[in-house]
Amino acid sequence: MLEHCDIIVLSGDWNRKNPGSVQRVTEILARHNRILWVSGIPIRPPRLRTGDFKRIADKVRKMLGTPTQTNNHTIPVTEVHPFFIPFYDNVAVRRFNDRLLRSAILGRIQELGFKDYIVLPSNPMAAGVIGTLGESSSHYLCIDDYGANEGTFACLSELEQEILQKVDSSWSMSDVLMKSRIPKSGENHFFPEGVDLDHFKVRGGLPPAALANVKKPIVGYYGLLASWVDYELIVRCAAAYPDVSFVIMGKATTDISILGQRPNIKCLDHVPYEDLPSYAELFDVGLIPRRINRLTVAMNPLKLLEYLAMEMPVISTNLPEVKKFGDLVFVAEDDDRFVRFVGEALKDNTPERRRMRRAHAERFSWQSVAERMSDVIQGIERRKASSRGSRRAPTLVDA
């Protein structure tokens, strides 16, 4: 396990409503290492939407502020929000942003006294600074098929290829991504989703008020209600099982009005991460109703392991990463089977099956994911150290 190292992570904002995989691994690393978390680099230009204006205002406020040290479960992480102009498709602007980003990072690591630091970028837009920071090694964390997302910068795929040419290793969250994101170094590794086992476990407390009067059994889904969720399929399931309650929870970023067609579908807004287990433990079945397209086949659904840790049966559409879990998950090759599996999954809740699901989830703790990544990075660091001898970190004069 990496210990007593200085690590720079370039990713999304720290402590978002639903912290992602990169933050979860960083939380483990932060227990024994110093972390500088670089936030705010966009992957798409702003659009004329109320939500974007709010995000822009928030980012400007953070950029004009001072770097902060935040605590997440007593884990200290220093977060910095560099200034940037959100028009990366213009080459001149992109180069200007790279200089601003490099200067902000070097200035902060000098204040912190970082030495022989490791860089972990998960945002391809940071490609221009990789290899210019004097880092001892860099490792790309590919958590999504970014280019398949709607409205991303046109240069994103080009920058992702640039970053793959520079890093010492690449870590991808699915086999699909591993086959298409191959680093020049040849160090190509799988970055599995993990789960916080202490957080996602059956607790047996009182049900949340929002679900106190919802009739059992409950088939549930939580997560971002985006365009990749198959809402028509959820409605089909609800129509086929009128005596079953379907609870759908999450922030909607697309039109979900179709869910109002069925009286046995209950929609709730975003539930904070810390409260999710108290809701999820009321689910008799967990759903992963993803549409099948270029974006989703590259996904590794985080909620799968969370559902399994909560011991519930899971039904998913035909996603490659989910199929790896064999008969622990009902994987439907078409909509008719997905609907049929609801009835079968409701019967698949014996104590033995519940124990099997929990035991399988225990193999994917964030601790084990971080340890595996640490072992590989340490091996690369040792090899590089033996070949290069002494080195010097850059100063602001170098920038």
Side-chain angles (χ1 to χ4, degrees):
M1 188 74 172
L2 287 169
E3 293 187 356
H4 311 301
C5 294
D6 295 330
I7 302 172
I8 302 169
V9 184
L10 296 99
S11 191
D13 290 351
W14 179 264
N15 257 352
R16 296 178 300 172
K17 288 184 178 180
N18 285 312
S21 309
V22 176
Q23 178 170 327
R24 292 303 176 199
V25 169
T26 302
E27 289 173 1
I28 302 296
L29 296 176
R31 295 172 183 171
H32 303 289
N33 304 279
R34 294 194 298 174
I35 305 291
L36 175 64
W37 182 280
V38 184
S39 292
I41 307 172
I43 65 169
R44 64 173 179 83
R47 291 173 284 185
L48 298 178
R49 302 192 314 184
T50 302
D52 277 13
F53 285 126
K54 290 180 180 178
R55 281 191 290 272
I56 290 170
D58 182 60
K59 288 183 183 295
V60 169
R61 178 182 59 80
K62 291 177 178 178
M63 286 189 290
L64 295 177
T66 56
T68 58
Q69 186 173 78
T70 59
N71 286 286
N72 188 59
H73 305 298
T74 71
I75 299 172
V77 170
T78 300
E79 184 179 13
V80 62
H81 296 265
F83 181 82
F84 59 86
I85 300 173
F87 300 104
Y88 276 80
D89 283 331
N90 182 293
V91 175
V93 170
R94 190 159 72 240
R95 297 293 174 255
F96 179 68
N97 283 340
D98 288 344
R99 289 195 294 272
L100 291 176
L101 178 59
R102 182 173 186 267
S103 179
I105 293 173
L106 291 179
R108 192 56 184 157
I109 62 178
Q110 286 193 340
E111 293 175 15
L112 295 170
F114 272 26
K115 297 179 180 178
D116 298 326
Y117 32 88
I118 296 165
V119 176
L120 304 179
S122 73
N123 188 328
M125 308 308 295
V129 301
I130 303 304
T132 75
L133 300 170
E135 60 266 38
S136 61
S137 66
S138 58
H139 310 271
Y140 177 44
L141 311 180
C142 182
I143 59 175
D144 199 359
D145 186 349
Y146 299 101
N149 284 279
E150 181 183 356
T152 54
F153 288 111
C155 64
L156 191 147
S157 295
E158 174 189 342
L159 294 179
E160 187 168 43
Q161 290 305 310
E162 179 181 336
I163 213 169
L164 288 166
Q165 293 296 307
K166 294 178 174 182
V167 292
D168 295 283
S169 73
S170 178
W171 298 76
S172 296
M173 297 222 82
S174 69
D175 287 346
V176 170
L177 291 174
M178 281 190 68
K179 292 174 182 176
S180 57
R181 271 68 172 178
I182 301 174
K184 182 180 179 180
S185 68
E187 288 278 357
N188 195 16
H189 300 277
F190 182 55
F191 179 11
E193 281 287 13
V195 61
D196 184 342
L197 294 166
D198 291 333
H199 187 62
F200 286 94
K201 61 183 178 182
V202 176
R203 305 177 187 187
L206 294 174
L211 296 183
N213 297 318
V214 175
K215 184 179 67 173
K216 296 277 278 180
I218 295 175
V219 173
Y221 168 88
Y222 62 78
L224 189 65
L225 300 178
S227 59
W228 57 70
V229 178
D230 193 336
Y231 303 102
E232 293 83 0
L233 183 55
I234 295 173
V235 171
R236 277 195 61 184
C237 291
Y241 300 91
D243 294 328
V244 175
S245 299
F246 288 77
V247 173
I248 311 300
M249 309 187 307
K251 177 183 176 181
T253 61
T254 190
D255 181 14
I256 63 169
S257 58
I258 188 175
L259 297 178
Q261 293 181 3
R262 298 298 310 175
N264 56 329
I265 296 179
K266 182 178 181 62
C267 294
L268 301 178
D269 202 354
H270 167 79
V271 173
Y273 177 80
E274 56 270 20
D275 298 330
L276 271 179
S278 64
Y279 286 76
E281 72 177 341
L282 296 177
F283 293 0
D284 296 282
V285 174
L287 298 181
I288 305 178
R290 298 276 172 93
R291 300 185 189 278
I292 303 300
N293 54 40
R294 172 189 162 186
L295 178 64
T296 59
V297 296
M299 289 180 171
N300 191 340
L302 174 61
K303 63 179 58 60
L304 170 59
L305 286 166
E306 294 171 352
Y307 286 161
L308 293 177
M310 300 295 295
E311 305 177 6
M312 72 183 75
V314 182
I315 308 170
S316 174
T317 45
N318 195 18
L319 301 175
E321 291 303 316
V322 177
K323 291 173 71 173
K324 292 180 179 180
F325 287 76
D327 68 354
L328 286 176
V329 181
F330 293 87
V331 180
E333 295 182 358
D334 54 51
D335 290 357
D336 290 342
R337 294 183 193 185
F338 193 100
V339 174
R340 188 179 77 240
F341 283 158
V342 172
E344 295 182 20
L346 286 168
K347 301 174 184 177
D348 187 32
N349 242 333
T350 65
E352 180 183 2
R353 290 286 284 174
R354 294 180 67 87
R355 284 193 296 270
M356 288 175 63
R357 288 189 279 264
R358 175 70 185 186
H360 198 78
E362 288 172 353
R363 297 168 50 190
F364 295 89
S365 70
W366 285 122
Q367 178 72 31
S368 64
V369 173
E371 287 176 355
R372 161 66 176 152
M373 186 175 292
S374 291
D375 288 345
V376 173
I377 292 175
Q378 283 177 317
I380 292 172
E381 285 279 304
R382 283 193 293 267
R383 292 198 299 271
K384 293 189 73 174
S386 64
S387 64
R388 70 176 172 242
S390 61
R391 56 177 298 279
R392 178 180 67 90
T395 66
L396 282 178
V397 176
D398 297 319

